[in-house]
Amino acid sequence: MLVGCRQPEPPPFTQERDPNQIIIGTTAKVSTLDPADAYTVFAGNVLLALGDRLYTYKTGTTALQPQLATALPQVSGDGLTYRMPLRRGVVFQDGEPFNAEAMRFSLQRFMENGGRPAFLLKNVVADIRATGEYELTIRLQKPFAPFPSVLAFSGLCAVSPKAYTIGAGQFQPRIFVGTGSYQLVNFGTDSLKLKRFPQYWGTPPASANLDIQFLTSSANLYNALQTGAVDVAYQFLEPQQIKQLQAQQEIQVVSSDGTGINYLTLNRNQPPLDKKEVRQALALTMPRELVQQRVFQNLVEPAFSMVPSSLPGYQPVFRVTGEPPAVLRAKELLSKAGISLTQPARIDLWYRSNIPSHIQVVSTIKATIERDLPLQLTLQPVDSTTAYQNLEKGIYPLFLLDWYPDFLDADNYLEPFMSCQKGTVAEGCLEGSSRTFGSFYYSPQANSLLAQSRRSTNVPQRLALLGELQKLMAADVPYIPVWQSREFVFARPEVQGVRLEPTQTFPFWLLKKASPSP
C-alpha cells in the first residue's frame, strides 16, 4: 500500500536526455542475448527487435507470414521436408551478406551449441541444407505439423557467421550481430542501448534510439514510471501497483490475455503423490477463484487446462462440475488412498522465493487444502536457479511453476509436459521432458497421442487428439493448472505505438514520442 510513497531511484540516465529517446523500464533480468542460449520472455522480446527469423506473425494476428523467407514452406508429401525461398538484398549489422548458407549456419549453431532452447530444433530436425544461394531445405526426423510456428521462435534468428562460431557452449552473451531493425550498441550492467540499423531491409523502427533500464524492484519500476525516469514499464509490477496505475488517467495501460500458464507440478514418484487419488483430490479442491480474487485482485484468469483458453483446441478439463461437491469427492478419493482425519498426509509445497506473489499463492492454497482435506502442506521456498537445477532430480514433491510458450500452438503446452522418451509405468519417466519438469510422468497413451497429433495435418482431427491429451492429463494429474496470466504494459502519455500482440510479444520498434523535438 505504501509503494507510491517510497523514494524513487535516481533517473537511470543522468546525462542530458534526447527528448525523442524511448526508455523501457523492467525488473526482468537479461543475462544473455545469444539467441542460441537466451530463453526468457524479456530477452525474447529484445531479440525480436535485434534480429529476423524465417517467419514472424502478422501484426495483430496469430497468422504466420514470411520474414527472411519470401513464402511459406513447400512441404513434401511425407511431411518431412520443408523448402523455403529466402529474401535477397539483406545484410547483417557487420556488413556481411545474408544468404541461405548464413541461415543454415544460424540454425545449425542453435542446435549444436547446446543452449537452453536447443531442443526446439534438436529434437525434431534431421538435416539443414542450403540447396541454393537463396533456398533453404530442412528435413525433419518425423512429421511435425506445427514446425513453421517453431521457426518464428525469437532465438531462431539469423546471426552473422563472421561474428559467431559453432561449438558446444560457444556463446556470445553480451553481443548481437543480426539483421534486425535495431542493433545493439551497449550491454551494460543495468541497461541495454539500441539504435536504428540504417541498412535494415524492411520498415525502420519508429524511434532512432531505444534504451532498456533494468531496475531492482517493482517499487523502483513503479516510481521510475511516475517520475518520468522511464517512458514505458514492462515486466513486472505487483497487483496493487497495477491497480494504482489503472486509476491514473495520464498513464497508458495496455493489457491482453496472456499466454503464460501458472501450474503445480506433482512428482508421481514421491508419496503420497505416487497415488493418483491424492493427485486427483488436490486438483478437485484447487482454489483458483480465491487466488484470482485475493492474490491478484482479478488481474488474472483461473486456468482449467495447461492450454490457454485463447488457443484452438482448448478444453477446460479441470473445471469441476456436477454432484457430489468437489470437497466430498476429494475426501472419498483420499479415503481410498488410506488418508483420513486420523491418518493425515504431509506434502512439501515448494515455490520460488524471488517471486513475491507466489508466497501469497502458496499460502492461499495451503489454507484452503488444510481446511477442506486431511492434508498438511509445508511451504518450502527456494531460489529459481536452484529450483531449475533440481527439478529433474526428483527432490520436490509439489512445486508452483510457470510456463510461457516457445511457439504459439497447443502442442507446446502439452508435449513438453507429457512426453517421455524412456520410462516405465512403474518407475515413471527415466529420460525425457516430463522428468525435466519434475513430474516424472510416463504414459504410453500420452506418447502415442502426441505422435499422432504431430503427424496430423487434418485440423479437426489434430484438435481432437489434443483434446484427448488434455483429458488424459486431467485423469492422471501430473500437473494442475492454477491461473492464466494477463500481460500489461504501462506508458507515459507522450509515448505512441504501445501495444501487445496476440502472440504476447511487445513490439519495441513501434514506440515513439508523440511530439518529437526538431
Side-chain angles (χ1 to χ4, degrees):
M1 294 294 292
L2 299 176
V3 64
C5 302
R6 294 178 59 174
Q7 290 297 313
E9 286 185 339
F13 296 95
T14 55
Q15 69 271 26
E16 186 176 347
R17 248 183 89 175
D18 178 349
N20 301 320
Q21 178 190 36
I22 297 287
I23 300 178
I24 300 173
T26 184
T27 61
K29 304 300 178 188
V30 174
S31 59
T32 179
L33 284 177
D34 191 314
D37 197 36
Y39 200 40
T40 65
V41 173
F42 196 92
N45 275 281
V46 178
L47 289 176
L48 290 175
L50 294 172
D52 299 317
R53 286 134 293 280
L54 288 166
Y55 300 99
T56 187
Y57 291 96
K58 186 177 180 180
T59 301
T61 75
T62 57
L64 282 177
Q65 68 176 14
Q67 192 173 41
L68 288 176
T70 58
L72 293 175
Q74 292 181 338
V75 186
S76 62
D78 60 7
L80 293 176
T81 302
Y82 288 70
R83 183 170 285 108
M84 291 151 282
L86 303 186
R87 190 175 296 279
R88 299 167 184 261
V90 177
V91 296
F92 288 102
Q93 292 153 356
D94 60 359
E96 289 292 298
F98 167 80
N99 53 30
E101 177 54 33
M103 194 72 236
R104 184 208 64 80
F105 168 89
S106 302
L107 299 182
Q108 199 72 37
R109 180 178 182 272
F110 185 92
M111 289 193 295
E112 293 188 23
N113 284 34
R116 286 171 289 177
F119 71 94
L120 285 171
L121 289 188
K122 198 170 185 179
N123 290 356
V124 297
V125 170
D127 180 60
I128 305 173
R129 289 174 291 142
T131 47
E133 187 176 2
Y134 293 99
E135 182 185 84
L136 188 75
T137 300
I138 301 177
R139 186 165 178 81
L140 306 186
Q141 300 169 19
K142 58 185 72 172
F144 181 30
F147 184 63
S149 296
V150 176
L151 296 176
F153 175 66
S154 61
L156 293 179
C157 49
V159 294
S160 171
K162 185 178 177 180
Y164 295 87
T165 57
I166 294 178
Q170 297 296 306
F171 299 118
Q172 300 265 37
R174 303 184 77 82
I175 72 164
F176 184 89
V177 185
T179 64
S181 60
Y182 278 112
Q183 60 188 116
L184 182 65
V185 176
N186 180 259
F187 191 148
T189 56
D190 61 356
S191 66
L192 297 174
K193 289 183 176 291
L194 284 61
K195 72 174 182 180
R196 187 184 288 153
F197 177 41
Q199 293 174 273
Y200 186 55
W201 59 269
T203 303
S207 181
N209 297 293
L210 182 71
D211 290 304
I212 297 167
Q213 184 70 26
F214 300 108
L215 298 165
T216 56
S217 69
S218 61
N220 289 331
L221 177 58
Y222 177 91
N223 284 317
L225 180 67
Q226 295 278 51
T227 61
V230 302
D231 303 300
V232 178
Y234 174 59
Q235 294 190 348
F236 297 97
L237 290 170
E238 293 301 309
Q240 182 61 33
Q241 296 162 339
I242 293 173
K243 286 288 188 180
Q244 290 175 359
L245 291 172
Q246 286 177 324
Q248 298 181 27
Q249 291 186 353
E250 67 275 17
I251 296 294
Q252 297 183 64
V253 181
V254 176
S255 68
S256 66
D257 291 336
T259 55
I261 294 291
N262 298 262
Y263 65 95
L264 291 165
T265 185
L266 293 80
N267 185 343
R268 52 88 71 199
N269 288 343
Q270 282 221 22
L273 297 174
D274 56 341
K275 297 179 180 178
K276 183 162 67 173
E277 293 87 354
V278 179
R279 303 195 300 271
Q280 291 173 333
L282 283 170
L284 280 168
T285 51
M286 193 52 49
R288 293 177 178 85
E289 285 80 7
L290 207 56
V291 167
Q292 174 196 30
Q293 296 162 10
R294 292 191 180 178
V295 179
F296 295 105
Q297 302 182 42
N298 294 314
L299 295 172
V300 302
E301 296 295 328
F304 298 104
S305 171
M306 288 295 286
V307 176
S309 57
S310 58
L311 287 189
Y314 163 78
Q315 291 196 17
V317 290
F318 280 90
R319 192 187 297 275
V320 179
T321 59
E323 296 291 338
V327 172
L328 180 58
R329 279 185 273 169
K331 288 179 177 178
E332 291 173 349
L333 287 165
L334 291 177
S335 179
K336 290 180 182 178
I339 298 171
S340 64
L341 287 174
T342 57
Q343 292 180 302
R346 189 182 72 84
I347 305 172
D348 286 343
L349 171 53
W350 291 79
Y351 65 97
R352 289 165 294 170
S353 56
N354 57 306
I355 304 178
S357 60
H358 280 204
I359 178 60
Q360 300 173 58
V361 172
V362 294
S363 297
T364 301
I365 292 173
K366 172 182 168 67
T368 304
I369 296 299
E370 291 186 346
R371 180 196 67 195
D372 294 340
L373 302 177
L375 294 174
Q376 298 171 2
L377 300 184
T378 302
L379 304 185
Q380 301 280 16
V382 63
D383 66 276
S384 293
T385 302
T386 303
Y388 297 136
Q389 290 173 345
N390 289 335
L391 268 173
E392 64 182 67
K393 296 178 182 177
I395 64 177
Y396 303 129
L398 190 62
F399 210 121
L400 179 64
L401 295 165
D402 55 27
W403 174 252
Y404 291 85
D406 304 308
F407 56 96
L408 207 58
D409 188 276
D411 176 274
N412 197 229
Y413 292 87
L414 297 171
E415 192 276 341
F417 299 94
M418 301 183 76
S419 68
C420 179
Q421 285 70 53
K422 181 180 179 183
T424 66
V425 173
E427 297 175 285
C429 187
L430 302 175
E431 183 180 322
S433 189
S434 70
R435 180 185 180 94
T436 304
F437 283 90
S439 74
F440 295 82
Y441 180 65
Y442 178 79
S443 166
Q445 184 183 359
N447 287 336
S448 175
L449 287 169
L450 285 166
Q452 292 177 61
S453 69
R454 289 186 150 206
R455 283 196 303 267
S456 178
T457 56
N458 180 297
V459 174
Q461 180 187 62
R462 184 167 179 267
L463 294 181
L465 291 165
L466 293 170
E468 289 301 312
L469 281 162
Q470 291 169 79
K471 291 174 185 176
L472 183 60
M473 182 183 287
D476 291 346
V477 200
Y479 310 93
I480 301 175
V482 183
W483 77 93
Q484 181 176 324
S485 64
R486 283 191 66 82
E487 294 297 318
F488 290 89
V489 177
F490 306 90
R492 303 283 299 175
E494 63 272 16
V495 180
Q496 292 183 334
V498 184
R499 63 179 297 154
L500 285 167
E501 290 296 306
T503 56
Q504 288 314 295
T505 57
F506 177 22
F508 297 162
W509 54 90
L510 298 180
L511 300 173
K512 67 176 182 178
K513 292 291 181 69
S515 302
S517 301

